[in-house]
Amino acid sequence: MTTRRGFLAAMMASAVVPSLSWADAGNPSFLAAAREADGGYALFGLDGAGADLFRVALPARGHAGVAHPHAPEAVAFARRPGTFALVIDCVSGKVIQQLNSPAGRHFYGHGTFVADGDILCTTENDYDNTAGVIGLWSRSEGYRRIGEIPSHGLGPHEILRLADDILVIANGGIETHPDHGRDKLNIPTMQPSLTYVTPDGTLKDKVELAPELHRNSIRHLAARADGLVGFAMQWQGEQRDAVPLLGLHRLGGTVTLAQADLGEQLAMQGYAGSIAFAGGGAHVGITSPVGGRLHLFTEAGMLAAVHRRADICGLAESAKGFMATDGQGGVWQADLQDFTPVHRAPRNWDNHVVAL
C-alpha cells in the first residue's frame, strides 16, 4: 500500500510538461477497442463522426481505454482476467510501455489518471486474498508501479476521477479467480458497492444496495463535473426480475435508482453494459447489448427515450448528444428524438467507447 507521503512525493515528480498534445494525434474524439475481420484486436482513435484516425494493434481482446488528460497517450486494458495494459503513443501509434499486473493480480479493464496525469490508477483483483485493489503507476518514472490502495470492496471494475482527485470505484461484488476462468464464485453472498476513495487509500464514502438487490453488480460509471455519479448494474439473479439497472449518487448523499416501464425493463435482460451523461449532463444513458436497448433518462431518473439496436453497448457523450457503438461495426448518434447511423467499419466494436 502506498503512503500519503509517497503519493505526495510522486505528485511533486510530475513537473514534466508533455511536448505533444492531442492535436498532434489528429484531435480524436473517441477511443474504442474492437475485434477485426481477420480475428485480431486493435484500439482505434475516432473522429467526431466515428471514422478512424489511428489504429494500434493489441495482443488480445481489449476492454476499455483511458486517455491522458494532456499528452497524446492512451492506456488500453485487457479484458478481465487479462494481465496486460498497453501505454500507447497516439501520434506514432507505437507502444511506449507494457504494464503487467503483479503476481496474484489481474486487471479488470479500466483505469484513470490523477495528480494532473502523473499517476495511473488501475482496478485489480488480488484473487488469492479475495480483495479489490487499485494499482498506482508513476508516468514520470516510466509507469513504474509505486504502490496500491484498497478499493474497499470486491471486484473493482470501473474507476473515475472526480474533483480534488477523489476516486469513485464501482465494486462489482463478485469473487473470481483465474483458476476458474470467468466463473462467478460467490453469487449467493455477493455485495456490490460504490466507494469514494482518496489516492492514499482513505475511504470517504461507501454505498451498498438494499439486501434484496445484493445481486445487482455495480460495474460501470459516468460522472458530471458537479460530482453527480451515474452507475450501471448487471443483475446476477433471474432475468425475469425487473430490477433497476441505473443508479445516481453524490458523495455523502443517498442513491436514486431508476428504471423504465416493466416491458422495457425486462427487455434489458438484467444487463447494462455502458453508461454516459450527455446534453450538458441533463440526461444519462445506459445500453444493453443482450437486450438491444439504449435507455435515456433525465438527471432525476425519469425515462426520457428508448432506442433499439441489436448488440449496442459502447456509449459516450458527443457534440450532438450520445455516440454509441454496436457489435456489427456500427457507430450511431442518439438524442431524445433520433437514433442515426453515422459510420460503419468492418469490425466488431467491444463494450466501450471513451470520449476524449
Side-chain angles (χ1 to χ4, degrees), residues 253-301:
T254 58
V255 170
T256 297
L257 296 178
Q259 59 190 110
D261 60 77
L262 180 60
E264 278 298 323
Q265 200 64 28
L266 288 171
M268 294 285 283
Q269 298 188 44
Y271 190 100
S274 288
I275 181 171
F277 282 101
H283 296 98
V284 59
I286 56 173
T287 57
S288 173
V290 294
R293 291 295 196 278
L294 166 59
H295 283 179
L296 304 182
F297 293 83
T298 69
E299 59 185 325

Side-chain angles (χ1 to χ4, degrees), residues 17-304:
V17 177
S19 58
L20 297 176
S21 72
W22 280 103
D24 297 289
N27 278 326
S29 297
F30 306 98
L31 296 174
R35 181 180 185 272
E36 299 187 281
D38 64 359
Y41 298 94
L43 179 75
F44 293 86
L46 307 178
D47 67 15
D52 296 355
L53 289 177
F54 64 80
R55 171 195 175 277
V56 179
L58 299 176
R61 181 177 174 181
H63 185 66
V66 60
H68 190 273
H70 310 301
E73 292 177 11
V75 183
F77 295 96
R79 180 176 184 250
R80 175 182 70 83
T83 58
F84 75 86
L86 301 182
V87 183
I88 297 165
D89 180 335
C90 295
V91 175
S92 68
K94 295 180 179 179
V95 175
I96 301 171
Q97 191 82 22
Q98 176 166 328
L99 310 182
N100 298 300
S101 58
R105 311 290 168 83
H106 67 69
F107 294 123
Y108 274 105
H110 291 270
T112 193
F113 283 97
V114 295
D116 199 32
D118 190 57
I119 305 298
L120 173 68
C121 305
T122 55
T123 52
E124 300 175 9
N125 183 12
D126 178 1
Y127 47 81
D128 286 333
N129 294 304
T130 317
V133 298
I134 307 302
L136 304 175
W137 312 73
S138 172
R139 177 177 178 267
S140 61
E141 300 176 67
Y143 285 95
R144 182 177 70 87
R145 188 180 180 92
I146 59 172
E148 62 186 41
I149 58 175
S151 75
H152 297 279
L154 186 61
H157 194 76
E158 188 159 14
I159 182 172
L160 294 180
R161 174 197 173 274
L162 303 180
D164 300 321
D165 276 353
I166 298 295
L167 299 168
V168 59
I169 304 165
N171 292 296
I174 298 175
E175 179 186 354
T176 60
H177 194 288
D179 289 349
H180 299 273
R182 291 175 60 84
D183 291 349
K184 301 166 184 177
L185 306 177
N186 68 330
I187 297 303
T189 60
M190 62 176 285
Q191 184 59 65
S193 63
L194 185 74
T195 54
Y196 296 80
V197 182
T198 64
D200 67 359
T202 302
L203 179 66
K204 303 288 288 185
D205 196 6
K206 183 171 185 175
V207 176
E208 294 180 328
L209 302 175
E212 63 270 20
L213 294 176
H214 81 93
R215 294 191 182 194
N216 220 2
S217 182
I218 299 174
R219 294 293 186 90
H220 294 109
L221 301 171
R224 290 195 323 200
D226 67 353
L228 181 64
V229 173
F231 56 93
M233 295 170 280
Q234 296 174 9
W235 179 242
Q236 306 302 309
E238 298 293 333
Q239 283 191 3
R240 64 175 179 268
D241 298 330
V243 298
L245 300 175
L246 169 65
L248 299 167
H249 184 260
R250 292 181 186 274
L251 177 64
T254 58
V255 170
T256 297
L257 296 178
Q259 59 190 110
D261 60 77
L262 180 60
E264 278 298 323
Q265 200 64 28
L266 288 171
M268 294 285 283
Q269 298 188 44
Y271 190 100
S274 288
I275 181 171
F277 282 101
H283 296 98
V284 59
I286 56 173
T287 57
S288 173
V290 294
R293 291 295 196 278
L294 166 59
H295 283 179
L296 304 182
F297 293 83
T298 69
E299 59 185 325
M302 303 298 294
L303 184 67

